Amino acid sequence: MCLEFWRLFNQWCKLHIGIDAKTLQIRAVQLTTNDVSDSQVSEDLLNQIPSDERIDSVFIPMEFMTLSAADSSF
């Protein structure tokens, strides 16, 4: 999930967040420039989750994916 967050010096920033679907607790965050897609930071977000915690699924809305990310297997 990404939010086009605010504009600094004519540059949009995005806040990418990872949320636990059951508890709605924010589990991972990454702030990037506008030109970085969710698929580019997905590994960084997943690495913020402790390795002993189970991840049942990962969902990236298609409208936020780049063509190359949509073509590759996650």
Side-chain angles (χ1 to χ4, degrees):
M1 171 185 212
C2 81
L3 305 172
E4 291 187 333
F5 200 57
W6 66 81
R7 207 168 177 152
L8 295 172
F9 307 105
N10 295 325
Q11 173 74 41
W12 281 100
C13 294
K14 289 183 187 176
L15 180 61
H16 306 264
I17 58 176
I19 298 174
D20 182 314
K22 293 178 184 169
T23 65
L24 301 180
Q25 179 182 16
I26 296 173
R27 303 291 296 146
V29 295
Q30 177 123 9
L31 185 64
T32 67
T33 56
N34 188 48
D35 59 343
V36 178
S37 69
D38 280 347
S39 60
Q40 291 174 293
V41 298
S42 59
E43 188 173 343
D44 294 332
L45 292 172
L46 290 171
N47 287 335
Q48 292 179 39
I49 308 298
S51 59
D52 62 336
E53 292 186 22
R54 182 177 168 172
I55 298 174
D56 291 325
S57 63
V58 175
F59 175 74
I60 300 174
M62 289 300 289
E63 64 266 19
F64 294 124
M65 293 182 74
T66 62
L67 180 59
S68 60
D71 291 339
S72 64
S73 61
F74 193 83

